[in-house]
Each structure stands twice: as C-alpha cells, then as structure tokens.
C-alpha cells in the first residue's frame, strides 16, 4: 500500500509538476467507500478494468513512443547499459528470489487462488497471466533504456529510475500525457482496493477467526491508511520500499514453505518465527562483518543504498536472508524437540513430538471450514479443524486444531 501511494504521488509530480497529495487522499477515500459497499467482489471488477487499462496503456505507449521519441546515439555508448556489469549478474539471482518469496505474502494472490473453481482453471489463469505479464514487463522495461538514450532520464533535477517509463512519456504530446495520467490513476486505484480487501479478509478471518464484527475490521483498515499515506509521502524511493519487503519475505518464506509439505509434519510455527527473525538477524551480521561497522549492518536491513550498489552488499543480503532463516529454523527445531524430550523424560511420559498426525496419512485433498465437529459428530466451537476427503467427498481423516506453535 505504501509503495502504491508513493508511486502515484511521484508519477503525478513527474508528469504534471503538481503535488500528488490530493490525488493520494482522493484515491484512499474513493477506494475505501466502494470496497466497504462492494467487498472483495468489487475488487474483481476493478481488476478487469485494470487489465484493460494496462493493455491500452501499453498500446498507446508503443505507438506514441515509436513515433515521437528520438534516440541520441551518443548516449547509447556513454550510458553503459548494453555492457555487462556486476549488478546485472547479481540480479539473475536477486530478482527471482525477491519476487517469488514476496508473492507468498500478497493476500490478493491467495484469495484468487482459493476462489478458483478447479485446479485446471487456476492453471489456465496463471499460465495466461504469466504470458501477459512477461510481454508487458518486457515492453515497460525497454522504456528504461529508451528514457536513458533520449535524455529523459535522469532529468533535471535527477529523478528515480523507478519512474523512467513516465519520464519518457512526459516527452510526448500533452494529450498523451493526459490519457496516461488517467490510466495511471485507474491502475493505482484498482491495485489499492485489492490491498484493502486483502487486509480486511486477513484481519477478519486469520486474526480474529470471524468473531469480531466485520465493520470493526474495516474501521481498523481505515485507521491504518493514515500512517500509510504519511510513510508513502516521506518514502524516498518506491524501489526501496519493495526491497525491504522482499528482504523480509526472503528470510521468512523458505522456513514457511517447509511446513506446507506433508513430509514435514514435525515442523511448527516456532521454527517459522525463529527462522524468519533469524534470517533478518543474519543479514545484520553479514552487513556488520562486510562493512566492519554495526551501523552499516543495520542500514543494510533497510537497504538504504538501494539496489544499485557497486559491491556485493545487496547480493549478500539476499543470500544471507534465506540461508540464515533456514539455519535458524533448523536450530529452533533442534531446541524445541530437545526441550520436549527433556520435559517428557522428567514427567515420565512418552516422547510424542515426532509422531505423525493421523491426517497426514489420509486422502490427497484438503478442505477447511464447514461445520466444526468431532469424529463423533459433536459440535465444537473452540478450534478450527482440517479434514481430508477422498475423491468422492468421503472423510478419510480428521485433525482437530489449527496447528501447534511449539
């Protein structure tokens, strides 16, 4: 949400020279109003609008940029963008790790996954989306090169490379800039309402288990928007915001996905929490050793130098985060199992920390929700449950409880 609002105000400032704050405030007010009335369903509608706007923006940009822009060939060689670089090789690793792990934390993706009618529909949708996104990102990414070779970037005063696409469009006729501005606001609004809906869904279902009035959750999201706007306006770079979240996800997701496997029934939330925090601590340790300065190590957690560093600091951070997270998670598992073994011995009980739950050996499919009942059919309100089903919908196994932390 911070990145979305920060990008909007920077783009408006770059294209018009106006203060982007009023547009940010209006976007927050409008999206809050219609998501409150329409819920997540309205987000699907705006996503379709967003897709149309993206296609129109790409078509308009390709035609007008091809006709109106003129490349200064002297800038091609001097820019050095066609030469191999250390950063270019580092990005081959950094970008896949950052994007893949960060996508695990995007609630909108998960809600659309769960909303798919069948696995076939999900596979078809993601395949088509992957093809479309690949084409779009290739075209948009190429505009960064064109912006540098036409002199539109870095500009005067120098602008962030994250908005190079819009700096290039600024060279186009005013009517094109106006259309682009309308499309940008529409795109930003469609993305922002998805974030709002996702926060409401996560807060209502995951945090409060649907036991708190829905409107209290929505009111809390509205209150969160105020500091989000403040941080967005103060943020120096959209890219830095994404990089910080990417670093957090790179440290947390590897230890998280271990628990998604049936073969790792012995993995608990304790390992995930310790591993995620340990991954970030490992980044700090790496930075302190690399720079021989604890303050520089702390700054590396915030990636204050950005992505375009002329050293191995950012690359090392994205290696240290997942590797450190896994090592800390493994250490946490050894500690937890050791403590449970000692407790079992002292109490004279059987050591059961590594016992395989019954539901793991059950059918291949999984569903959650529905009536809360025990095996005997008695209603139960304290805990959620997970039930395995066979191909015909028959229950194959039952595991009560939402998962153990320790």
């Amino acid at each position: 949400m911070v990145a979305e609002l920060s990008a909007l105000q920077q783009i408006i400032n770059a294209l018009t020279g106006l203060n982007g704050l009023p547009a940010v405030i209006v976007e927050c007010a409008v999206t809050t109003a219609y998501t409150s009335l329409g819920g997540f369903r309205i987000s699907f509608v705006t996503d379709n609008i967003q897709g149309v706007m993206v296609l129109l923006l790409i078509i308009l940009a390709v035609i007008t940029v091809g006709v109106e822009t003129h490349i200064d060939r002297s800038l091609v060689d001097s820019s050095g963008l066609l030469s191999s670089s250390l950063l270019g090789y580092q990005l081959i690793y950094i970008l896949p790790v950052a994007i893949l792990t960060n996508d695990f934390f995007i609630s909108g993706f998960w809600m659309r996954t769960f909303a798919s009618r069948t696995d076939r529909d999900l596979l078809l949708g993601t395949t088509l989306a992957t093809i479309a996104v690949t084409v779009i990102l290739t075209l948009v990414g190429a505009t960064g090169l064109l912006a540098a070779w036409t002199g539109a970037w870095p500009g005067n005063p120098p602008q962030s490379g994250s908005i190079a696409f819009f700096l290039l469009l600024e060279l186009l006729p005013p009517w094109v800039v106006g259309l682009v501005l309308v499309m940008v606001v529409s795109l930003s609004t469609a993305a922002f309402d998805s974030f709002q809906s996702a926060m409401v869904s996560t807060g209502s279902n995951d945090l409060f288990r649907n036991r708190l009035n829905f409107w209290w959750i929505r009111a809390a999201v509205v209150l969160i928007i105020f500091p989000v706007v403040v941080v967005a306006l103060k943020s120096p770079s959209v890219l830095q915001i994404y990089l910080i979240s990417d670093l957090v996800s790179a440290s947390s997701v590897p230890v998280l996905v271990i628990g998604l496997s049936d073969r790792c029934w012995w993995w608990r939330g304790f390992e995930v929490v310790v591993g995620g925090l340990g991954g970030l601590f490992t980044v700090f340790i790496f930075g302190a050793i690399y720079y021989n300065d604890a303050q520089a190590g702390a700054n590396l957690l915030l990636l204050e130098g950005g992505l375009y560093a002329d050293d191995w600091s950012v690359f090392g951070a994205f290696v240290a985060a997942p590797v450190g997270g896994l090592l800390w998670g493994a250490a946490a598992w050894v500690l937890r199992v050791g403590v449970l073994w000692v407790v079992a011995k002292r109490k004279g009980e059987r050591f059961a920390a590594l016992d395989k739950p019954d539901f793991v050996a059950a059918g291949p499919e999984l569903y959650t929700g529905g009536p809360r009942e025990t095996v005997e059919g008695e209603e139960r309100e304290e805990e959620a449950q997970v039930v395995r089903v066979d191909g015909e919908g028959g229950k194959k196994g039952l595991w009560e409880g939402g998962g153990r932390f320790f």
Side-chain angles (χ1 to χ4, degrees), residues 192-211:
F192 194 75
D193 68 38
S194 295
F195 294 141
Q196 283 184 295
S197 299
M199 288 187 65
V200 171
S201 176
T202 301
S204 178
N205 185 65
D206 298 339
L207 295 181
F208 296 99
R209 299 295 183 183
N210 298 316
R211 293 174 180 174

Side-chain angles (χ1 to χ4, degrees), residues 110-360:
W110 287 109
M111 286 191 289
R112 285 159 178 76
T113 299
F114 296 142
S116 300
R117 183 174 301 174
T118 64
D119 288 346
R120 181 177 179 277
D121 293 337
L122 177 60
L123 179 60
L124 178 62
T126 52
T127 301
L128 294 176
T130 299
I131 295 173
V133 169
T134 301
V135 173
I136 291 171
L137 289 182
T138 301
L139 293 173
V140 174
T143 60
L145 300 174
L146 296 177
W149 295 341
T150 57
W153 180 83
N156 187 22
Q159 299 286 341
S160 170
S162 59
I163 60 171
F165 172 63
F166 298 98
L167 294 176
L168 179 64
L169 296 181
E170 190 181 12
L171 303 177
L172 303 180
W175 67 270
V176 177
V177 175
L179 285 178
V180 168
L181 199 59
V182 172
M183 293 180 183
V184 166
V185 174
S186 300
L187 288 171
S188 180
T189 301
F192 194 75
D193 68 38
S194 295
F195 294 141
Q196 283 184 295
S197 299
M199 288 187 65
V200 171
S201 176
T202 301
S204 178
N205 185 65
D206 298 339
L207 295 181
F208 296 99
R209 299 295 183 183
N210 298 316
R211 293 174 180 174
L212 185 64
N213 187 282
F214 182 77
W215 287 102
W216 285 111
I217 303 293
R218 193 167 289 283
V221 172
V222 172
L223 293 177
I224 292 174
I225 291 177
F226 288 98
V228 166
V229 172
V230 174
V231 174
L233 297 178
K234 297 293 183 180
S235 299
S237 169
V238 178
L239 181 59
Q240 183 180 352
I241 300 172
Y242 278 114
L243 286 174
I244 294 173
S245 64
D246 289 341
L247 199 59
V248 173
S249 60
S251 67
S252 304
V253 169
V255 289
L256 174 66
V257 296
I258 292 177
L260 299 181
S261 172
D262 284 348
R263 298 180 179 180
C264 301
W265 69 88
W266 30 263
W267 201 254
R268 296 286 185 267
F270 179 71
E271 287 86 79
V272 175
V273 173
V274 173
L277 296 176
L280 294 176
F281 184 63
T282 305
V283 173
F284 165 74
I285 294 175
F286 164 77
I289 295 175
Y290 184 80
Y291 290 114
N292 196 27
D293 182 9
Q295 182 61 48
N299 291 340
L300 186 59
L301 285 171
L302 300 177
L303 295 168
E304 292 193 348
L307 180 62
Y308 308 109
D310 250 346
D311 54 25
W312 291 90
S313 58
V314 178
F315 179 84
F318 277 96
V319 172
V323 173
L326 291 171
L327 292 177
W328 280 92
W333 178 82
V334 172
L335 175 62
R336 179 181 62 83
V337 172
V339 169
L340 293 177
W341 183 82
V342 171
V343 171
K345 289 298 182 181
R346 293 191 61 180
K347 292 184 176 180
E349 300 174 349
R350 191 178 73 85
F351 176 64
L354 300 180
D355 287 355
K356 181 184 293 187
D358 292 337
F359 79 91
V360 174

Side-chain angles (χ1 to χ4, degrees), residues 34 43-45 67 72 141 182 230 268 278 309 325 350 377 387 390 392:
Y34 72 71
S43 180
F44 282 110
V45 176
V67 174
D72 184 350
V182 172
V230 174
R268 296 286 185 267
R350 191 178 73 85
V387 181
D390 58 22
E392 298 179 354

